[in-house]
């Protein structure tokens, strides 16, 4: 609906698992973002990929690793996560200074 | 000082009331401003952009005050369906286009 599609919508994984979140945008945007939103907390920027800049939030643990093979696709690879990593993971895209559009998010539960 | 600050609320108002939110930002070079709405357990969605001259969309009015570095959102004739969290977003300044989100203001409209 918004042009930004995230899969899966829900994910339950054990602490020893490896999984990947996928984001795809069909809007022709040149920047893509990963955000984390824990319960009752504000959005936390994790990673940004754009033509102008690539940004990594230094507080994000190395058990999260992004991959951006092209301007339309963004992945978040997960391994050996902790229960406190359970959250809503949101992908967004934007073009220049215009507004960002969000995907519906992946609700991740680490058990 | 946080980059974007909002009163988290909640603002608890009756149907039909007028309610206003403010948001202050620290980077005077910021160039783009937006209000997003986020429903519980959903992704943020653009409510409206904020233009220098102020703008209105139905019951919603947004204002920008560059001198004092704040933006505002006014909601007239509140509806039950307006209950949500309203996020202030600021972009640009210092060579960065990364959108910076406030923590959001919670609005509860009751009968």
């Amino acid at each position: 609906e918004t042009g930004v599609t995230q899969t899966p919508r829900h994910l339950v994984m054990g602490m020893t698992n490896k999984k990947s979140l996928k984001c795809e945008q069909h809007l022709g945007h040149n920047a893509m973002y990963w955000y984390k939103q824990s319960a009752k907390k504000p959005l936390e920027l994790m990673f940004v990929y754009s033509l102008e800049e690539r940004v990594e939030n230094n507080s994000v643990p190395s058990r999260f690793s992004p991959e951006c093979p092209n301007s339309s696709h963004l992945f978040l690879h997960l391994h050996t996560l902790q229960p406190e990593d359970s959250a809503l993971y949101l992908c967004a895209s934007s073009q220049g200074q215009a507004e960002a559009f969000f995907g519906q998010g992946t609700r991740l539960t680490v058990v | 000082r946080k980059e974007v600050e909002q009163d988290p609320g909640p603002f608890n108002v009756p149907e039909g009331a007028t309610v206003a939110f403010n948001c202050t930002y620290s980077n005077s070079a910021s160039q783009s401003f937006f209000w997003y709405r986020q429903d519980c357990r959903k992704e943020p969605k653009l409510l409206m952009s904020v233009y220098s001259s102020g703008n209105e969309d139905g019951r919603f009015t947004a204002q920008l005050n560059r001198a004092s570095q704040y933006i505002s959102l006014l909601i007239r004739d509140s509806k039950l369906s307006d209950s949500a969290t309203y996020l202030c977003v600021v972009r640009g300044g210092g060579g960065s286009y990364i959108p910076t989100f406030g923590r959001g203001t919670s609005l509860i409209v009751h009968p």
Side-chain angles (χ1 to χ4, degrees):
Chain A
E1 170 182 304
T2 64
V4 181
T5 305
Q6 287 186 243
T7 54
R9 293 288 307 279
H10 300 273
L11 177 63
V12 179
M13 60 185 287
M15 289 189 283
T16 58
N17 292 158
K18 289 184 179 181
K19 296 286 184 184
S20 296
L21 308 185
K22 179 182 177 182
C23 178
E24 188 173 356
Q25 59 99 358
H26 309 280
L27 301 169
H29 289 168
N30 63 358
M32 296 186 77
Y33 313 82
W34 280 116
Y35 287 90
K36 174 185 178 182
Q37 189 172 40
S38 302
K40 299 189 185 300
K41 290 189 177 180
L43 282 168
E44 175 189 347
L45 179 68
M46 299 179 75
F47 303 102
V48 181
Y49 280 84
S50 74
L51 292 178
E52 291 84 18
E53 58 192 324
R54 172 183 167 174
V55 173
E56 297 187 12
N57 183 337
N58 292 329
S59 68
V60 176
S62 59
R63 55 186 183 268
F64 295 90
S65 58
E67 178 189 359
C68 190
N70 55 59
S71 60
S72 300
H73 294 85
L74 185 64
F75 295 89
L76 187 63
H77 302 300
L78 318 171
H79 65 97
T80 59
L81 295 193
Q82 303 299 310
E84 61 264 29
D85 296 323
S86 299
L88 179 66
Y89 289 84
L90 290 160
C91 173
S93 70
S94 68
Q95 178 71 25
Q97 287 274 27
E99 65 272 20
F101 291 87
F102 284 84
Q104 292 179 296
T106 296
R107 189 157 297 281
L108 173 67
T109 303
V110 181
V111 297
Chain B
R1 181 182 175 185
K2 292 181 182 175
E3 291 185 64
V4 178
E5 291 202 60
Q6 294 183 252
D7 180 347
F11 285 63
N12 205 320
V13 303
E15 271 186 292
T18 294
V19 61
F21 310 135
N22 279 342
C23 165
T24 58
Y25 60 94
S26 60
N27 188 342
S28 60
S30 298
Q31 298 177 29
S32 307
F33 307 89
F34 309 93
W35 283 103
Y36 280 71
R37 169 192 170 131
Q38 185 174 25
D39 292 292
C40 187
R41 301 176 69 82
K42 297 286 184 68
E43 77 276 20
K45 293 185 178 179
L46 179 70
L47 179 65
M48 58 197 303
S49 302
V50 186
Y51 302 121
S52 298
S53 55
N55 48 298
E56 188 174 306
D57 183 1
R59 298 181 292 108
F60 299 84
T61 301
Q63 297 276 358
L64 167 63
N65 185 317
R66 284 191 184 273
S68 301
Q69 295 182 208
Y70 75 84
I71 66 173
S72 63
L73 178 67
L74 181 77
I75 305 175
R76 292 182 299 277
D77 187 23
S78 300
K79 312 291 185 189
L80 296 177
S81 57
D82 293 333
S83 297
T85 297
Y86 291 83
L87 302 167
C88 167
V89 183
V90 175
R91 297 194 72 177
S96 173
Y97 295 95
I98 298 173
T100 302
F101 284 77
R103 63 180 299 124
T105 297
S106 175
L107 172 65
I108 302 170
V109 182
H110 58 81

